[in-house]
Amino acid sequence: MTELVLRGGTILTIDPEHRVVGGDVACIDGRIVAVGGSYTPRTRDYHIVDCAGCIVMPGLVQAHVHTCQTLARGRADDLELLDWLRTVIWPYEAALDEEGAAAAGELACAELLLGGTTAILDMATVHHTGAIFEAAKKSGIRATIGKAMMDADDPHIPPGLRESTTSSLDESARLCERWHGSANGRLRYAYAPRFVLSCTDELLREVGAQAKERGVGVHTHASENVAEVALVRQRFGKDNIHVLDDFGLLGAHATIAHCIHLSADERRLLAARGAHVCHCPSSNLKLASGICPLPELIAAGVAVALGADGAPCNNNLDGFLELRLAALLHKHRAGPRAVPAPAAVRIATLGGAAALGLATQIGSLEIGKRGDVIAVDISALHSVPTTSPWSAIAYAAKSCDVRHVAVDGALAVQDRALVHLELPKVRERARAAAATMFR
Ligand SMILES: [Zn+2]
């Protein structure tokens, strides 16, 4: 048995009553056994970390990232989506080898954990998804990962990324069998058709059926860019969300990144099917894609989450930046009460958990849930004085304030240092792999 006690913080529970309490959070064998008050260890094998001066809260959950792209940070600035994909990202992914994928995955997981993100929904590339799973496993992060699926006959897709419908489905099935539910359930699989334009009708239909059959998620992109929406209309004679629904991909198990350019009808359909939308504000601004109408989605009853997307379109994987931006970005249009601080913090935690299909397991600090917990130091000058912890987390705190991070009741970051990865090695491996790739 292992017992972890995060001692003496201000606890932002994100429970149904939005309780803020003082005291300890304790986990035994990965599960939360106490929230608030003074806790006495129940076993001999306990570990106490000091959280005085910290806000203790559920870890941030990012429901749309591409850890495999991290080596291309700073390589694809100031481009719009389709150029960005065709001229840099797809050639990069086509050239990525096993070592590059491993180095990118480790770098991403290290950055995510140090910044307080404890769980991700990750779209890998077409090949080497096993290396991404291995990196996530080693780092200690909770990850739902899927291999990108791209079987469309599109001349813009480089040969290194093209695959047949059968090989795409077979490889996905193999990865799902190997990894889904492994590492005590910390690693999971989700089917990841890149977007409808990268896939044949046959593949989309099969993914719709197989994801349901296997009881796993679907992770894709839609309606990110005006030119993409026009191409979808040209091919299918209808809009993205209706296309996804036709192929059986829409449901509570589906998370769709971006959803910027939607009709009111598409918003209603997303809500009716219980599908999740992942808002990626930095990525959308940088690629000049537009701004996801988050207040309208919420008003329509659509479940929403946040994500940093990838290092080449952000250029960080910083959950606190996305949280702050999501809270600020919609106010100029929808008024100062659009996405208020408590709502933004809830979306960044429990909203993400729901998008990963894990709302009953993580996303809030409640007895019986898994111990995905972070302690955020609010003694830095930019957080002083602290009045409301909601305000501190949404508007003032930064990822560098994250002091401790636990996933599944085990520390992955202690006193701002990685527990399972060596930071200098991660940095050097990433630099070397990037140098080889971009030689
Ligand atoms: Zn993306």
Side-chain angles (χ1 to χ4, degrees):
M1 271 209 247
T2 56
E3 187 169 19
L4 175 69
V5 185
L6 295 109
R7 175 145 287 170
T10 299
I11 305 165
L12 208 49
T13 61
I14 326 281
D15 70 5
E17 288 83 43
H18 272 226
R19 285 186 314 135
V20 178
V21 296
D24 307 338
V25 174
C27 309
I28 296 179
D29 284 345
R31 228 171 256 290
I32 297 172
V33 295
V35 178
S38 179
Y39 178 80
T40 307
R42 299 172 192 176
T43 70
R44 283 157 178 254
D45 181 20
Y46 65 87
H47 182 51
I48 297 177
V49 288
D50 174 35
C51 295
C54 293
I55 291 173
V56 175
M57 61 181 282
L60 303 182
V61 181
Q62 295 201 40
H64 182 65
V65 295
H66 301 264
T67 62
C68 69
Q69 293 177 358
T70 316
L71 300 185
R73 194 192 314 268
R75 295 271 177 184
D77 292 342
D78 310 329
L79 293 166
E80 70 84 37
L81 176 72
L82 296 179
D83 291 339
W84 178 86
L85 282 171
R86 290 166 181 169
T87 65
V88 186
I89 299 307
W90 287 347
Y92 161 84
E93 289 191 11
L96 195 70
D97 61 10
E98 183 92 9
E99 169 58 19
E106 273 191 16
L107 175 64
C109 291
E111 181 186 357
L112 288 158
L113 284 168
L114 285 167
T117 293
T118 50
I120 53 172
L121 180 57
D122 185 19
M123 186 182 292
T125 182
V126 173
H127 306 295
H128 311 301
T129 305
I132 300 289
F133 267 110
E134 292 287 358
K137 182 181 178 187
K138 188 173 165 190
S139 74
I141 202 165
R142 186 182 298 281
T144 300
I145 302 171
K147 144 199 163 39
M149 306 177 85
M150 303 178 72
D151 72 329
D153 184 21
D154 175 347
H156 297 289
I157 299 176
L161 287 187
R162 290 214 209 166
E163 54 180 356
S164 70
T165 309
T166 311
S167 67
S168 187
L169 289 165
D170 288 353
E171 175 75 354
S172 299
R174 196 187 60 75
L175 286 162
C176 186
E177 273 156 33
R178 163 69 184 85
W179 291 102
H180 187 65
S182 66
N184 195 31
R186 185 160 61 76
L187 301 176
R188 294 161 61 88
Y189 197 78
Y191 278 86
R194 187 160 209 139
F195 61 151
V196 297
L197 294 175
S198 76
C199 302
T200 60
D201 290 16
E202 189 193 350
L203 183 87
L204 293 169
R205 196 172 294 112
E206 271 304 308
V207 170
Q210 291 188 19
K212 280 179 194 155
E213 208 176 283
R214 292 174 185 275
V216 301
V218 170
H219 178 200
T220 189
H221 301 93
S223 303
E224 178 173 3
N225 170 288
V226 174
E228 169 223 337
V229 170
L231 289 171
V232 171
R233 263 183 214 150
Q234 205 177 76
R235 177 171 150 194
F236 297 97
K238 53 180 77 172
D239 288 322
N240 260 303
I241 303 304
H242 290 281
V243 174
L244 292 172
D245 196 41
D246 286 354
F247 289 115
L249 291 160
L250 225 50
H253 67 313
T255 297
I256 307 162
H258 310 308
C259 291
I260 298 168
H261 307 285
L262 296 183
S263 65
D265 199 39
E266 286 180 287
R267 287 202 288 267
R268 275 193 293 273
L269 186 55
L270 281 168
R273 296 286 184 268
H276 302 261
V277 167
C278 186
H279 178 35
C280 304
S282 295
S283 165
N284 296 163
L285 289 172
K286 184 158 182 271
L287 295 171
S289 296
I291 295 175
C292 167
L294 194 69
E296 286 82 352
L297 287 171
I298 294 169
V302 179
V304 294
L306 298 181
D309 207 348
C313 64
N314 187 302
N315 294 0
N316 303 134
L317 302 176
D318 183 332
F320 279 86
L321 269 180
E322 299 312 309
L323 163 50
R324 177 180 150 92
L325 198 48
L328 297 181
L329 190 56
H330 309 282
K331 299 191 192 300
H332 79 99
R333 186 177 54 80
R337 286 183 196 81
V339 199
V345 176
R346 204 174 172 85
I347 292 166
T349 51
L350 200 54
L356 270 68
L358 296 173
T360 60
Q361 299 292 310
I362 58 169
S364 61
L365 302 183
E366 296 177 79
I367 291 170
K369 279 196 161 184
R370 306 305 302 180
D372 291 12
V373 192
I374 62 174
V376 185
D377 185 349
I378 45 166
S379 67
L381 296 185
H382 55 251
S383 294
V384 173
T386 305
T387 44
S388 151
W390 301 101
S391 170
I393 294 300
Y395 296 126
K398 298 174 190 288
S399 60
C400 59
D401 299 328
V402 173
R403 188 173 162 199
H404 308 302
V405 176
V407 180
D408 225 22
L411 287 172
V413 172
Q414 182 171 9
D415 282 313
R416 297 184 164 86
L418 293 163
V419 173
H420 305 295
L421 295 171
E422 290 178 54
L423 194 142
K425 282 190 182 165
V426 170
R427 185 191 285 127
E428 277 321 302
R429 189 179 189 185
R431 281 181 177 153
T436 305
M437 274 197 77
F438 292 103
R439 194 172 39 205

